Amino acid sequence: MAHEYFHNWTGNRVTCRDWFQLSLKEGLTVFRDQQFSADMNSAAVQRISNVRGLRASQFPEDAGPTAHPVRPDSYLEINNFYTATVYNKGAEVVRMYHTFLGAEGFRRGMDLYFARHDGQAVTCDDFRAAMADANDVDLLQFERWYSQAGTPVLRVSDSYDSETKIYTLTLTQACAPTPGQPVKAPFLMPVAMGLLTPAGAELPTRLVGEVAAHIGTRVLRLTEVRQSFLFVDVPEHPIPSLLRGFSAPVKLERDWTDAELAILAAHDSDPFARWEAGQTVLVRHLLAEADPANAAPGADLPETVAALIAATLAPFTGAPDGKADPAFAALCLALPGEAYLAELVTIVHPDRLHAARNALRVAIGRSFAAELRLIAERFTDTGPYQPTAAAAGRRALRNAALDLLCASGDPAALAQAATQARAAGNMTDRLAALTAIVDTDLPERAAILDAFRADFADDALVLDKWFTVQALSRRADTLAQVRALLDHPEYDGKNPNKVRALVGAFTSGNRAQFHALDGAGYAFLADQVIAIDGFNGKLAARLVAPLGPWKKFDPTRQALMRGALDRIRKVPGLSKDVTEIVEKALVA
């Protein structure tokens, strides 16, 4: 709602000169709705949620055959550019202006933009010019974020001289080739950072040549392929806190030690950096477990992960801690998604990634059963539903605890989830419980699903959720269930919302089942794309995306995915929408 309302100014009063400038309104308005949501709720939780979404949808797009700049330079069908790159990465580009210029500088830029262009149709360059002129800064290099596709990699190395007390931080940026862009020029990149002592205390920072030290987060201006920053008066070898607030849409690489990550996760003043340190611990474990060269994922919880989970739960299981944010803790308990993990490996083995992630969920649920049960009890609201940020945080943490307990097979938790799925007084709790139940073989599973459907038979949007929950089930028979749901009376194969809720959810969100080694998931998607293209080419084109990155998979899956794409391509009378996506995928 906020997004569409904000379009009154960014999209309507000031609009796009041509379709290539689509992100001028969509990226800017996504940034505005994100800022509004951060003000209304937990800013840290909102930012982390934004980044998780970016990594799950836009990073794969940037690495695939349909990669394109935020401001595309060509298209066959413009509907194919209503993408995560235009919207979500476009919002990150706008956020970088905000990071470079600060809140006041960004506001000056926005005021000048509206004053200059009210009632006009303009370009991304006009927006950049307003930001630069209002703050008297050179942003010419920043234009590359609009013209170059791909996700840059930011590599970090550092050293410390105990005699001179100088700490050197070296940043190197690189961006892999993308279709039509084999060589990339360096980006102008804001790197928000700070330094911590080995005990976790924040250090003031002073670069060589500066008169006074800077307190708190500072923003380094990276302009070259390789650039070193020298900090003086550093009393001991510090731990760098990097990319605070996710200050640039990049992949960060550094050889962190387990001890450094533990300090950052426990003490960093920036909540995103704390969360990211914990995610790095989890990613390391999951990728090691998913490596085909290693044994099958084990049931033991490694010490680094156990310490991380213990620290996350501690504020909520001991004496009440009014400072701890339950919503933030719930995000810390959420494991990295399989789509993001797939972006971090050269060859994707979806079954291994899924098995590793599921094994870790089970291990956490079993190892911390007592603490999770206590949280599930403490954070159960007995009064009337409250649509407040605080109440939402309590629900989020309780449902995260319940999900982990159910994953471990805890009988009491499964019984609680069954009751909650039937009788919870709000949709958040009912869907959370239904999601936990739908993965199981509980005898009452079918009855609970039927009861949910009956309760919301007159609410089409809630029924979309009902379809999606089943499409995302971890059960081995999910594709068969999805096929059966295609014939359900409540499903309309010509309704885009229903198609996205069932077919789109399965093919994009259920990676383990969609990528089953027998190729049944690929054949199913090809059948759906061909059928839907006959009456809605735009919708069909959106559905093709999961087949696009076929080169990232093992040879067996590559052949099956390419075969599905080729079968779609050979259909007579294929729409321009689908043709463009399929051709790009096949020639990539």
Side-chain angles (χ1 to χ4, degrees), residues 41-327:
N41 302 291
S42 165
V45 169
Q46 180 64 36
R47 185 62 187 137
I48 292 167
S49 298
N50 297 153
V51 174
R52 291 182 71 194
L54 185 82
R55 288 173 170 171
S57 60
Q58 197 279 320
F59 276 24
E61 191 169 272
D62 248 351
T66 60
H68 56 276
V70 169
R71 181 175 56 196
D73 53 12
S74 67
Y75 63 86
L76 178 63
E77 174 50 62
I78 188 58
N79 291 291
N80 289 335
F81 279 125
Y82 280 82
T83 63
T85 297
V86 168
Y87 279 72
N88 301 89
K89 187 175 182 178
E92 295 299 315
V93 171
V94 175
R95 185 178 295 275
M96 285 189 284
Y97 286 116
H98 191 279
T99 301
F100 268 132
L101 304 174
E104 293 183 3
F106 184 82
R107 179 56 189 264
R108 285 193 297 271
M110 289 294 290
D111 288 345
L112 180 58
Y113 176 66
F114 291 141
R116 281 180 174 176
H117 302 300
D118 188 16
Q120 298 179 15
V122 297
T123 69
C124 297
D125 290 333
D126 292 318
F127 182 78
R128 176 168 52 86
M131 289 290 160
D133 294 346
N135 292 278
D136 193 25
V137 294
D138 181 3
L139 293 174
L140 182 61
Q141 187 180 355
F142 198 80
E143 189 275 339
R144 292 170 184 165
W145 284 106
Y146 289 101
S147 61
Q148 296 186 151
T151 303
V153 174
L154 179 63
R155 296 185 176 91
V156 180
S157 60
D158 56 349
S159 62
Y160 176 69
D161 189 323
S162 58
E163 292 186 4
T164 62
K165 306 298 183 186
I166 293 178
Y167 172 71
T168 302
L169 182 69
T170 300
L171 306 178
T172 304
Q173 61 167 302
C175 190
T178 54
Q181 293 186 339
V183 180
K184 307 296 174 71
F187 293 87
L188 170 57
M189 192 180 299
V191 181
M193 54 81 65
L195 298 177
L196 273 64
T197 70
E202 185 100 4
L203 287 167
T205 55
R206 184 164 72 90
L207 291 167
V208 169
E210 291 181 341
V211 175
H214 186 96
I215 306 299
T217 299
R218 70 181 301 153
V219 178
L220 303 179
R221 187 182 175 97
L222 180 62
T223 59
E224 305 297 331
V225 170
R226 180 182 175 89
Q227 211 166 328
S228 292
F229 300 86
L230 276 62
F231 296 88
V232 299
D233 300 332
V234 182
E236 54 187 325
H237 199 308
I239 301 170
S241 169
L242 303 168
L243 221 62
R244 285 179 166 178
F246 199 63
S247 59
V250 303
K251 296 178 181 178
L252 179 66
E253 293 184 357
R254 182 181 184 271
D255 293 329
W256 302 98
T257 67
D258 291 340
E260 287 176 329
L261 292 172
I263 292 296
L264 291 169
H267 300 291
D268 201 305
S269 60
D270 180 74
F272 176 84
R274 289 203 308 276
W275 173 80
E276 182 78 321
Q279 291 290 292
T280 303
V281 171
L282 297 171
V283 165
R284 278 186 176 180
H285 169 72
L286 289 169
L287 293 185
E289 291 288 286
D291 189 337
N294 298 330
D300 295 332
L301 200 60
E303 184 177 337
T304 53
V305 175
L308 175 70
I309 301 301
T312 300
L313 298 178
F316 307 99
T317 55
D321 183 348
K323 297 180 181 179
D325 182 357

Side-chain angles (χ1 to χ4, degrees), residues 216-451:
T217 299
R218 70 181 301 153
V219 178
L220 303 179
R221 187 182 175 97
L222 180 62
T223 59
E224 305 297 331
V225 170
R226 180 182 175 89
Q227 211 166 328
S228 292
F229 300 86
L230 276 62
F231 296 88
V232 299
D233 300 332
V234 182
E236 54 187 325
H237 199 308
I239 301 170
S241 169
L242 303 168
L243 221 62
R244 285 179 166 178
F246 199 63
S247 59
V250 303
K251 296 178 181 178
L252 179 66
E253 293 184 357
R254 182 181 184 271
D255 293 329
W256 302 98
T257 67
D258 291 340
E260 287 176 329
L261 292 172
I263 292 296
L264 291 169
H267 300 291
D268 201 305
S269 60
D270 180 74
F272 176 84
R274 289 203 308 276
W275 173 80
E276 182 78 321
Q279 291 290 292
T280 303
V281 171
L282 297 171
V283 165
R284 278 186 176 180
H285 169 72
L286 289 169
L287 293 185
E289 291 288 286
D291 189 337
N294 298 330
D300 295 332
L301 200 60
E303 184 177 337
T304 53
V305 175
L308 175 70
I309 301 301
T312 300
L313 298 178
F316 307 99
T317 55
D321 183 348
K323 297 180 181 179
D325 182 357
F328 179 77
L331 284 176
C332 291
L333 292 176
L335 304 185
E338 291 171 35
Y340 176 57
L341 292 170
E343 287 302 302
L344 304 179
V345 297
T346 304
I347 300 297
V348 181
H349 296 273
D351 45 354
R352 293 281 306 199
L353 287 174
H354 178 75
R357 191 174 183 275
N358 206 47
L360 185 55
R361 290 175 65 242
V362 172
I364 293 172
R366 289 175 178 170
S367 299
F368 290 92
E371 294 89 341
L372 294 169
R373 288 191 197 104
L374 181 58
I375 286 173
E377 179 182 344
R378 279 188 175 181
F379 286 83
T380 297
D381 291 323
T382 56
Y385 170 77
Q386 295 181 332
T388 64
R394 291 173 58 85
R395 286 190 289 272
L397 182 55
R398 179 169 58 83
N399 287 325
L402 184 63
D403 177 71
L404 290 168
L405 287 168
C406 288
S408 73
D410 183 283
L414 290 169
Q416 180 182 344
T419 300
Q420 184 174 311
R422 290 189 184 99
N426 62 83
M427 187 56 62
T428 299
D429 285 344
R430 287 197 73 169
L431 275 175
L434 194 66
T435 299
I437 290 297
V438 81
D439 288 339
T440 72
D441 295 318
L442 285 179
E444 60 265 46
R445 176 183 183 273
I448 291 171
L449 283 165
D450 286 343

